[in-house]
Amino acid sequence: MALSLLSPIHSSASLSSFTLSSFPAPKNASFLSPLCSLYHHPQKGTLGSSRTATSLFRGSANLRRIVSMAEEKMRQLVSRNGGLDDMDEGQIERIGGQDDEDDDEEEEEEGHEHSPSSSSSSSSPERWDVLGLGQAMVDFSGVVDDGFLNKLGLEKGTRKLINHEERGKVLQAMDGCSYKAAAGGSLSNTLVALARLGCRSITDRPLNVAMAGSIAGDPLGSFYRTKLRRANVNFLSAPIMDGTTGTVIVLTTPDAQRTMLAYQGTSSVVNYDSCLASLISKTNVFVVEGYLFELPDTIRTITKACEEAHRNGALVAVTASDVSCIERHYDDFWDIVGNYADIIFANSDEARAFCHFSAEESPISATRYLSHFVPFVSVTDGINGSYIGVKGEAIYIPPSPCMPVDTCGAGDAYASGILYGILRGVTDLKGMGDLAATIAATVVGQQGTRLRVQDAVRLARSHEFLLKSSGVRTDVGS
């Protein structure tokens, strides 16, 4: 029986049983993937072009949890000569570890076990459901006032690259502030949420989720790898022994604006090698983080990685990441999006930037435009909802009601819902979007960017019920 988006993708399954004979826009139309069932199924033939996209398918990390003793220990460590270079993994772990440890306890209370692949990065599955390539950086998140920013000459709400010396000065200035350490990044937020959603399903098989990138062989790098592993995400790239792991200092003011200071360290170099090629060759969905386009010469790595993904039948997903990033590297983005992307994740501003649309243009117009070039387009529009675009059509997804607490990470969470739906065999695009919107609303309604374990279990169970009630079929045309 041929696989399709109406049946779950198994980790050992090849994606070669699909063809894409009727979708003319993407230049990569020759590769085989489950998204092809959106347009053509080998048993049913081409779907009628007069049908709309909808009718194709019937239709915490919580700051309050950080104890004062841990905060005091961190202040003592980072106030000493810049701090981070003197810390070992255990010291970093005592500062940033409690949030995930609490989640682990909650997961055990729910009676769920971790993925077998999470216990050791050396015990790899036959295939990875998702492999993400992105920047690996440890976040140091602190709460400050406007006077703190003014004292350091920082413009509120901006993102700035800093050097090693500047990082030490900022951390020293943060002595007395409340802050925490975490394995950060937009892509890691998505992958952690996906792994937690996929710990159990109607298939009783956990999703195998991994990440590749650059970390150093230092305590911060070990901390990053360990934190992801605890969240069922395997960080598979070997450490750079003579480097320094990148960090992002996130300064949040009482008006909820974030000022980010990034020390890139080893994260500024992401090379394509035989190890990465081997990982991609046994991956179902390969996700490229848009921030990588900012790094020198990384476009070569991204291009080779996407070529390898398509040679081996994997889907390629690209996250837009940031409007300014798109504007600065517009041609590079379109080289990848136009030639390799099967899925694109963007917010409304990023989607307009891709299309060279003005701010007056509606998100639905941008979604429709992009869907002529990319088979599956996901565009979020904040409190206004979101859109899924397929073949020039756009499906509106209303926002899921919530009481907003922290909007940071909403788009990352939404992307995890879309990927989860694809991997679990959902073909009702409206239902998939509703699930993604609910996941995003759950994260918006809490402090922190990570989907909590108990929420992931609840949402996955709800999704399982929807699948069972509607019936999981294996044929698009029936």
Side-chain angles (χ1 to χ4, degrees), residues 6-19:
L6 287 161
S7 59
I9 300 174
H10 297 284
S11 61
S12 60
S14 168
L15 304 185
S16 60
S17 56
F18 294 89
T19 61

Side-chain angles (χ1 to χ4, degrees), residues 69-117:
M69 182 181 299
E71 292 172 348
E72 177 61 26
K73 180 66 175 176
M74 175 63 111
R75 285 194 291 272
Q76 293 171 359
L77 288 166
V78 300
S79 63
R80 224 175 46 238
N81 299 321
L84 297 184
D85 296 330
D86 299 324
M87 297 168 67
D88 59 34
E89 182 186 353
Q91 290 170 324
I92 302 170
E93 182 66 27
R94 285 192 291 275
I95 303 307
Q98 182 163 349
D99 49 347
D100 278 353
E101 288 169 359
D102 288 344
D103 278 344
D104 290 343
E105 292 171 359
E106 289 160 356
E107 187 175 25
E108 291 171 359
E109 289 173 1
E110 291 288 344
H112 290 268
E113 297 177 354
H114 286 292
S115 163
S117 64

Side-chain angles (χ1 to χ4, degrees), residues 274-470:
S274 59
C275 178
L276 180 58
S278 176
L279 293 173
I280 295 171
S281 70
K282 53 180 182 179
T283 294
N284 289 337
V285 181
F286 178 59
V287 184
V288 178
E289 185 178 34
Y291 287 119
L292 290 181
F293 287 84
E294 294 270 50
L295 307 180
D297 301 323
T298 308
I299 187 63
R300 297 191 186 98
T301 297
I302 296 172
T303 300
K304 290 180 180 179
C306 290
E307 289 173 349
E308 183 68 23
H310 277 184
R311 268 196 299 271
N312 289 277
L315 295 173
V316 172
V318 177
T319 69
S321 294
D322 183 73
V323 171
S324 60
C325 183
I326 296 169
E327 292 172 345
R328 285 191 295 269
H329 306 279
Y330 186 81
D331 291 341
D332 287 342
F333 263 104
W334 267 108
D335 281 345
I336 298 301
V337 169
N339 287 290
Y340 302 105
D342 306 296
I343 306 167
I344 188 166
F345 296 108
N347 63 30
S348 56
D349 291 332
E350 293 158 353
R352 281 188 284 259
F354 270 124
C355 304
H356 269 167
F357 284 178
S358 68
E360 287 71 36
E361 289 282 356
S362 66
I364 193 170
S365 297
T367 304
R368 287 170 175 163
Y369 181 83
L370 286 172
S371 71
H372 286 292
F373 303 95
V374 182
F376 190 106
V377 177
S378 170
V379 176
T380 57
D381 192 28
I383 61 173
N384 300 314
S386 57
Y387 301 88
I388 292 176
V390 175
K391 290 185 72 177
E393 296 284 347
I395 303 168
Y396 173 66
I397 310 297
S400 182
C402 73
M403 183 67 69
V405 174
D406 185 354
T407 60
C408 187
D412 305 334
Y414 189 96
S416 74
I418 295 296
L419 291 171
Y420 179 76
I422 290 173
L423 288 163
R424 289 309 193 200
V426 178
T427 55
D428 177 0
L429 296 187
K430 179 66 165 56
M432 185 189 298
D434 287 339
L435 172 66
T438 303
I439 295 170
T442 301
V443 170
V444 168
Q446 67 180 36
Q447 183 70 49
T449 60
R450 294 276 167 88
L451 180 66
R452 292 192 288 246
V453 171
Q454 70 271 30
D455 291 328
V457 170
R458 173 179 55 82
L459 290 165
R461 284 176 174 170
S462 172
H463 181 60
E464 178 180 293
F465 171 78
L466 291 173
L467 279 179
K468 287 180 177 179
S469 65
S470 61

